[in-house]
Amino acid sequence: MATRREFHKIIIGRAETLSFPAARVYDVPAKVDSGAYRNAIHAADIRVEGEELVCTLLGGHPVCESLGHEFRTPEFKEVKIANSFGHREVRYEIKLRVKLGPKVFMSSFSLANRSKKIYPILLGRKLLNGRFLVDTDRTSINRVELKQKYNIDFPIDEEDGREPES
């Protein structure tokens, strides 16, 4: 039987759009990854100036180049990230106010170069837990149309309907 807390969870799909109301940035494609612990957002020109972290959020990514904007914050930290292959790297992490579905809340994002990924944002369990249920059969984004719209020629995948070359 469902608990009271589960009744307040929103069902989302494997890919959704995320908005950043404070920055007036809306409908950025995001991949939902329940296997990932942390969230990640595409950033370029990441640097620390005095006591502030400065970067260009979303700029330089093929899907959201026009949404790129300078971001400055004195509130950041370094985190160690391990990928699925066990490779570790240190990244900066920031907090951003986001809107996913009807919910608006603060969440942490590590800054990463995602320019070779179709989705500029990855949503992990830190954002999902307690708020959302993931139905992998659903999506609000058509991956093939996204690739066509932005002329993205990333490696072939099963969702394209094409088979990888031998």
Side-chain angles (χ1 to χ4, degrees), residues 6-134:
E6 289 173 330
F7 282 118
H8 296 288
K9 292 181 182 179
I10 305 298
I11 297 174
I12 60 172
R14 65 185 179 275
E16 295 291 335
T17 57
L18 189 72
S19 296
F20 303 93
R24 293 187 178 103
V25 173
Y26 304 99
D27 300 327
V28 181
K31 179 181 178 182
V32 176
D33 185 354
S34 62
Y37 178 65
R38 296 181 190 280
N39 308 310
I41 186 168
H42 177 75
D45 304 320
I46 304 165
R47 62 194 181 281
V48 176
E49 292 181 358
E51 307 254 334
E52 278 190 321
L53 180 122
V54 182
C55 66
T56 304
L57 277 184
L58 303 173
H61 190 279
V63 171
C64 55
E65 176 67 42
S66 64
L67 302 176
H69 63 282
E70 184 179 80
F71 178 82
R72 294 178 167 269
T73 182
E75 297 179 31
F76 65 95
K77 64 182 181 179
E78 288 185 354
V79 293
K80 292 180 183 170
I81 308 290
N83 68 16
S84 58
F85 302 112
H87 174 75
R88 293 184 158 272
E89 68 177 300
V90 175
R91 293 188 195 162
Y92 291 109
E93 185 177 73
I94 60 173
K95 289 192 177 189
L96 298 169
R97 180 168 296 284
V98 298
K99 181 178 187 293
L100 179 55
K103 296 189 178 218
V104 178
F105 53 94
M106 294 295 288
S107 193
S108 299
F109 289 82
S110 70
L111 304 180
N113 180 348
R114 295 186 55 82
S115 61
K116 301 291 185 212
K117 308 282 186 188
I118 293 171
Y119 297 100
I121 299 172
L122 179 90
L123 303 178
R125 294 188 312 270
K126 281 185 81 172
L127 180 141
L128 301 171
N129 286 346
R131 295 184 181 105
F132 301 98
L133 294 174
V134 181

